[in-house]
């Protein structure tokens, strides 16, 4: 279990690094990005492990990667101005 935890944290850090490199103009501070990635991956690994049980290492790491990607996607800001449908 320690290897799954360490692996999911490293996957979260790697995903955070890739997101920070590719989307640096649309993300908040690096501290937020590099905190949210590993925490999302650890939560995803915990959630997947509790759902599937022991012995599913690759599925647990895939769940960790998926939850970390979803959490990082929530940090992405839109480009340009937002248009309102109805004037105020």
């Amino acid at each position: 279990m320690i290897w799954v935890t360490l692996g999911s944290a490293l996957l979260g850090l790697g995903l955070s690094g890739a997101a920070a490199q590719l989307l640096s103009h649309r993300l908040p501070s690096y501290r937020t990005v590099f905190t949210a990635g590993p925490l999302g991956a650890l939560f995803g690994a915990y959630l997947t492990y509790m759902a599937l049980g022991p012995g599913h290492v690759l599925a647990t790491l895939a769940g960790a990667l998926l939850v970390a990607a979803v959490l990082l996607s929530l940090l992405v800001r839109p480009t340009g101005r937002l248009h309102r449908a109805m004037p105020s």
Side-chain angles (χ1 to χ4, degrees):
M1 183 64 187
I2 189 74
W3 293 110
V4 174
T5 305
L6 185 62
S8 64
L10 289 175
L11 279 174
L13 275 175
L15 192 62
S16 295
Q21 184 73 25
L22 295 173
L23 301 169
S24 63
H25 60 286
R26 295 181 62 191
L27 287 171
S29 69
Y30 285 139
R31 179 181 289 176
T32 305
V33 173
F34 282 102
T35 302
L39 286 179
L42 288 172
F43 178 70
Y46 172 74
L47 190 69
T48 309
Y49 182 81
M50 287 296 136
L52 298 178
H56 301 280
V57 175
L58 292 178
T60 303
L61 290 176
L65 190 63
L66 183 69
V67 172
V70 167
L71 185 61
L72 287 173
S73 74
L74 293 175
L75 295 176
V76 177
R77 291 179 277 184
T79 59
R81 290 183 51 137
L82 294 176
H83 299 288
R84 300 182 95 178
M86 296 180 61
S88 54

